[in-house]
């Protein structure tokens, strides 16, 4: 039995290109267990791509990416990197929750079924146990009693909270949020951020791509400013967001704040 | 502004003149059709009653459309047996078509060029040649392959050998020909359905750890069905009638049974009508089934499901009844 690594996510020089365009030009990042990291930066800076590399929705081209001490998508044996097969990658991914900008709830399933399907089909949990867990999570995100609704019958904020519950049902060790409030009406942003704040307080390790600077300042342990595929500046949010040193971050903050 | 005693204002609805003209024309056409369907023709014979001075004669007439003959044959065993064969052909050919079509659609969307290329070639060939030709080819396949053996290509090894002329009946040839042809069309329908599902659904399924097969089965397919069902219903109805082509290769299905009978008694029109009426009956049943199937797979996509025909009829009646007391506007609110 190896000791549990202190870092939940460790990225060293992660690179990624799409059709000749380099989107990530060597990203370094360290997120400890139970910590919250916020990724900020202009659109097209590679924030979402980096997030998607962490759960292998995108394959990174170079660099080292470790989640919970394990290489993402590869296995190191006898000095060679072996690509993991689909089944292994899916098993890894099941323990990394992801929340999308556009919610992506399963439209043909009820709220309850959205939360049970992963437990039943992937984790092989019994149907009734899965349902009980789903109800528990719905209560936690403030949506008790909405079991039978279809996603189309809910507001954006409610859908996003169901999406968070769906991710939590997989019992994740890490949660990734890809601009979770960007598609919401302003008055609905608060209810989603409240749920995320509670989640952070409960000790969940989280990486959040966001434009909500107030949330970053309040909840994050570390803020990373990503620009043009590199981390321009990082550190304690109160420090980074109030006294930015790089001119790019100063320029960015002057636009969003 | 003139007001009634209670202070409300009478609303005068827009008069749709063009619409009323259209309704009148439609009613005339309907009346003409009903009239001709129910018309009778003189046979040239006379029927007389009584004798001598009290003898009364009148011309004998018969239905123009020979309804008596149509319905006399409607439930004869030959026609019913033909109907059974038609249904059998439709069900088997569609089953082959749907299953193979789904497989072809998934192959077509595969990132592997060999798989997508083979699926494309299949569709190209079976959609590009007339189904009647395909029926004749399968019926006469024994000319091309007197024996079918299962073995390894280019190697003198065979595991199983069948004689086609003895193993293939005309009905089986028809099932295979219609099924394989249908698969080409179904694969395009299924492909459109699979492509209609938002990429985000796949990402969400992937992110909770589903493998590709699970994503396809639990997330993509159920949502693709909403797009796949309506044109598939169309295909079933189309197949019901296309199956009549099998009469060319001596399969005695509904039309085959009708032609068999009229070639013996020369009642050509009545028997064609008998067959047509049966096709209409089955099509009606299929359409009703399709409606409920569509309604089932639309769940989640619409906030409220569409009304069933009965519910809609109820609403129409209620709507008409509500029109009778004239609508009045009271301080901007329409009251009924």
């Amino acid at each position: 039995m190896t000791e549990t690594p202190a870092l939940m996510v460790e990225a060293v020089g992660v690179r990624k290109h799409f059709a000749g365009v380099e989107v990530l030009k060597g990203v370094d990042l360290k997120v400890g267990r139970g910590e919250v990291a916020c990724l900020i930066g202009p659109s097209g800076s590679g924030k979402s791509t980096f997030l998607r590399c962490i759960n292998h929705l995108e394959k990174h081209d170079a660099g080292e990416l470790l989640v919970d001490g394990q290489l993402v998508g590869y296995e190191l044996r006898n000095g060679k990197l072996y690509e993991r097969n689909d089944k292994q990658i899916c098993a890894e991914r099941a323990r990394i929750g992801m929340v999308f900008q556009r919610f992506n709830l399963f439209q043909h399933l009820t709220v309850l079924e959205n939360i049970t399907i992963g437990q039943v089909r992937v984790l092989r949990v019994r149907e009734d146990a899965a349902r009980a867990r789903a109800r528990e999570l719905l209560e936690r995100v403030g949506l008790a009693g909405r079991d039978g609704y279809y996603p189309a019958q809910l507001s954006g904020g409610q859908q996003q909270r169901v999406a968070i519950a769906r991710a939590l049902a997989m019992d994740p060790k890490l949660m990734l949020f890809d601009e979770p409030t960007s598609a919401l009406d302003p008055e609905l942003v608060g209810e989603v951020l409240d749920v995320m704040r509670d989640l952070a307080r409960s000790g969940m390790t989280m990486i959040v791509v966001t434009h909500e600077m107030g949330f970053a300042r309040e909840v994050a342990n570390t803020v990373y400013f990503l620009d043009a595929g590199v981390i321009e500046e990082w550190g304690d949010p109160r420090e980074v967001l109030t006294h930015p040193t790089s001119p790019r971050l100063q320029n960015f903050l002057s636009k969003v704040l | 502004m003139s007001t009634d005693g209670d202070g409300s204002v009478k609303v005068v609805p827009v008069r749709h003149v063009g619409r009323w003209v259209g309704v009148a024309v439609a009613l005339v056409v309907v009346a003409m059709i009903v009239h001709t369907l129910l018309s009778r023709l003189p046979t040239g014979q006379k029927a007389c009653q009584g004798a001598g001075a009290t003898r009364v004669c009148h011309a004998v007439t018969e239905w123009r459309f020979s309804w008596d003959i149509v319905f006399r044959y409607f439930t004869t065993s030959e026609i019913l047996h033909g109907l059974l064969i038609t249904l059998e052909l439709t069900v088997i050919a569609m089953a082959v078509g749907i299953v193979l079509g789904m497989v072809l659609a998934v192959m077509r969307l595969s990132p592997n060029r060999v798989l997508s290329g083979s699926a494309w070639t299949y569709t190209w060939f079976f959609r590009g040649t007339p189904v009647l030709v395909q029926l004749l080819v399968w019926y006469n396949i024994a000319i091309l392959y007197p024996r079918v053996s299962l073995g390894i290509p280019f190697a003198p090894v065979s595991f199983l050998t069948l004689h086609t002329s003895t193993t293939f009946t005309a009905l089986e040839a028809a099932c295979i020909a219609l099924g394989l042809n249908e698969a080409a069309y179904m694969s395009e329908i299924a492909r459109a359905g699979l492509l209609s599902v938002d990429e985000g659904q796949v990402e969400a399924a992937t992110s909770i750890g589903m493998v590709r097969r699970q994503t396809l089965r639990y997330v993509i397919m159920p949502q693709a069905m909403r797009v796949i069902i309506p044109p598939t219903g169309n295909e079933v109805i189309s197949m019901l009638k296309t199956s009549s082509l099998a009469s060319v290769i001596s399969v005695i299905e509904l039309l085959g049974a009708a032609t068999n009978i009229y070639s013996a008694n020369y009642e050509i029109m009545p028997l064609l009508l008998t067959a047509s009426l049966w096709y209409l009956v089955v099509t009606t049943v299929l359409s009703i089934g399709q409606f409920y199937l569509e309604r089932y797979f639309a769940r989640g996509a619409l906030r409220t499901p569409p009304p069933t025909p009965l519910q809609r009829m109820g609403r129409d009646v209620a709507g008409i009844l509500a029109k009778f007391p004239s609508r009045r506007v009271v301080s901007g609110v329409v009251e009924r």
Side-chain angles (χ1 to χ4, degrees):
Chain A
M1 185 85 189
T2 52
E3 62 176 305
T4 46
L7 290 178
M8 182 55 88
V9 180
E10 186 176 8
V12 183
V14 170
R15 288 171 178 275
K16 169 78 188 168
H17 71 267
F18 289 113
V21 183
E22 193 151 50
V23 186
L24 300 176
K25 301 170 184 163
V27 174
D28 300 323
L29 168 146
K30 283 188 174 75
V31 182
R33 225 162 259 283
E35 281 184 2
V36 177
C38 279
L39 252 62
I40 60 169
S43 60
S45 58
K47 303 175 307 255
S48 292
T49 305
F50 178 66
L51 205 65
R52 293 157 63 87
C53 283
I54 296 174
N55 73 347
H56 216 256
L57 273 182
E58 303 284 357
K59 219 167 169 181
H60 57 287
D61 306 323
E64 216 169 67
L65 190 50
L66 292 128
V67 172
D68 205 9
Q70 280 199 318
L71 286 170
V72 173
Y74 299 91
E75 198 175 359
L76 187 65
R77 266 187 282 137
N78 313 325
K80 279 186 194 164
L81 279 180
Y82 288 88
E83 230 177 78
R84 286 180 199 269
N85 65 28
D86 281 355
K87 214 171 172 180
Q88 292 168 319
I89 289 173
C90 287
E92 267 177 62
R93 219 184 253 139
R95 299 294 311 279
I96 304 175
M98 184 148 191
V99 175
F100 301 87
Q101 182 178 350
R102 306 224 34 97
F103 331 134
N104 295 347
L105 289 178
F106 303 130
Q107 297 294 319
H108 62 301
L109 299 179
T110 62
V111 163
L112 200 76
E113 288 164 342
N114 262 282
I115 306 173
T116 55
I117 189 165
Q119 301 181 67
V120 174
R121 301 297 173 194
V122 179
L123 302 181
R124 306 274 167 211
V125 173
R126 279 195 17 237
E127 186 79 41
D128 50 345
R131 250 186 250 128
R133 173 96 175 108
R135 292 215 173 84
E136 200 179 288
L137 286 166
L138 274 178
E139 194 169 343
R140 183 164 165 194
V141 299
L143 288 172
R146 298 294 170 120
D147 305 13
Y149 284 61
Y150 283 101
Q153 296 169 315
L154 300 179
S155 75
Q158 291 171 329
Q159 288 192 53
Q160 193 60 298
R161 285 186 280 153
V162 173
I164 294 174
R166 175 176 67 181
L168 289 177
M170 303 304 289
D171 220 354
K173 51 189 178 187
L174 167 69
M175 286 281 284
L176 307 174
F177 293 84
D178 189 2
E179 302 199 24
T181 57
S182 296
L184 296 178
D185 290 340
E187 79 269 25
L188 301 177
V189 169
E191 61 189 60
V192 173
L193 291 183
D194 284 343
V195 169
M196 290 168 63
R197 205 173 281 127
D198 283 347
L199 200 57
R201 224 171 273 143
S202 75
M204 176 64 74
T205 312
M206 294 161 57
I207 302 181
V208 185
V209 171
T210 188
H211 291 297
E212 296 293 329
M213 295 304 149
F215 176 80
R217 193 191 309 259
E218 182 195 344
V219 179
N221 300 90
T222 320
V223 160
Y224 291 84
F225 173 60
L226 198 62
D227 189 34
V230 287
I231 303 278
E232 258 315 289
E233 193 167 340
W234 65 281
D236 186 274
R238 280 161 291 256
E239 196 56 36
V240 172
L241 296 178
T242 38
H243 307 293
T245 52
S246 83
R248 283 187 177 177
L249 180 54
Q250 286 165 1
N251 184 28
F252 175 72
L253 288 177
S254 71
K255 281 179 191 155
V256 293
L257 287 179
Chain B
M1 194 163 67
S2 72
T3 53
D4 288 2
D6 56 356
S8 62
V9 184
K10 189 163 190 329
V11 176
V12 183
V14 178
R15 306 283 176 212
H16 301 279
V17 180
R19 196 181 292 174
W20 285 108
V21 173
V23 168
V25 172
L27 284 177
V28 169
V29 172
V30 168
M32 283 162 74
I33 292 170
V34 171
H35 176 253
T36 190
L37 285 178
L38 299 180
S39 62
R40 300 183 71 99
L41 293 175
T43 55
Q45 292 170 326
K46 280 190 170 163
C48 298
Q49 280 178 325
T54 57
R55 189 175 156 91
V56 184
C57 291
H58 59 88
V60 178
T61 60
E62 61 181 3
W63 293 106
R64 183 193 291 271
F65 281 87
S66 316
W67 294 117
D68 47 338
I69 304 172
V70 170
F71 287 107
R72 197 190 311 146
Y73 282 102
F74 200 65
T75 49
T76 53
S77 64
E78 285 147 291
I79 290 289
L80 288 181
H81 187 256
L83 176 67
L84 201 68
I85 300 289
T86 288
L87 293 176
E88 200 179 313
L89 264 174
T90 308
V91 169
I92 295 175
M94 278 316 293
V96 171
I98 289 170
V99 171
L100 191 56
M102 289 283 185
V103 173
L104 285 167
V106 174
M107 277 171 68
R108 184 78 191 276
L109 296 174
S110 158
N112 185 304
R113 289 280 176 82
V114 175
L115 290 179
S116 67
S118 338
W120 182 87
T121 311
Y122 181 97
T123 310
W124 168 77
F125 182 79
F126 282 90
R127 224 168 43 160
T129 51
V131 65
L132 185 54
V133 174
Q134 290 174 30
L135 270 166
L136 291 167
V137 166
W138 282 104
Y139 185 53
N140 296 300
I141 198 75
I143 303 170
L144 218 50
Y145 297 99
R147 279 185 301 274
V148 175
S149 30
L150 194 64
I152 299 165
F154 305 112
V157 191
S158 86
F159 309 116
L160 179 70
T161 304
L162 296 168
H163 291 270
T164 35
S165 51
T166 53
T167 43
F168 254 18
T169 64
L171 184 61
E172 284 159 3
C175 286
I176 292 171
L178 294 175
L180 294 187
N181 182 261
E182 186 56 35
Y185 289 91
M186 277 310 302
S187 78
E188 287 296 287
I189 291 172
R191 188 167 71 97
L194 295 179
L195 288 177
S196 75
V197 180
D198 181 38
E199 186 62 26
Q201 298 285 308
V202 180
E203 285 186 358
T206 311
S207 79
I208 57 170
M210 283 194 185
V211 295
R212 199 177 142 69
R213 189 177 41 77
Q214 289 176 316
T215 306
L216 199 63
R217 179 168 163 199
Y218 299 117
V219 176
I220 303 178
M221 275 297 178
Q223 296 187 70
M225 281 316 221
R226 206 167 81 79
V227 174
I228 292 175
I229 295 278
T232 303
N234 226 13
E235 289 296 305
V236 176
I237 288 167
S238 170
M239 176 60 75
L240 177 75
K241 292 163 298 170
T242 308
S243 68
S244 64
L245 286 177
S247 61
V248 174
I249 58 168
S250 80
V251 175
I252 302 168
E253 38 65 71
L254 184 50
L255 181 65
T259 52
N260 272 0
I261 299 170
Y262 76 56
S263 62
N265 66 6
Y266 301 107
E267 298 284 6
I268 299 173
M269 275 302 168
L271 278 148
L272 288 178
L273 271 176
T274 305
S276 301
L277 280 180
W278 266 121
Y279 283 117
L280 276 173
V281 167
V282 180
T283 303
T284 308
V285 173
L286 288 175
S287 305
I288 294 169
Q290 183 185 351
F291 174 83
Y292 284 98
L293 212 57
E294 276 176 34
R295 207 172 119 91
Y296 173 77
F297 279 106
R299 72 201 193 285
L302 307 165
R303 280 163 205 230
T304 45
T308 61
L310 273 178
Q311 288 169 341
R312 201 162 42 196
M313 242 160 65
R315 276 179 215 180
D316 285 350
V317 171
I320 290 167
L321 289 180
K323 273 189 181 164
F324 281 109
S326 65
R327 282 176 292 173
R328 280 160 190 282
V329 177
V330 180
S331 58
V333 183
V334 177
E335 268 193 350
R336 292 209 169 133

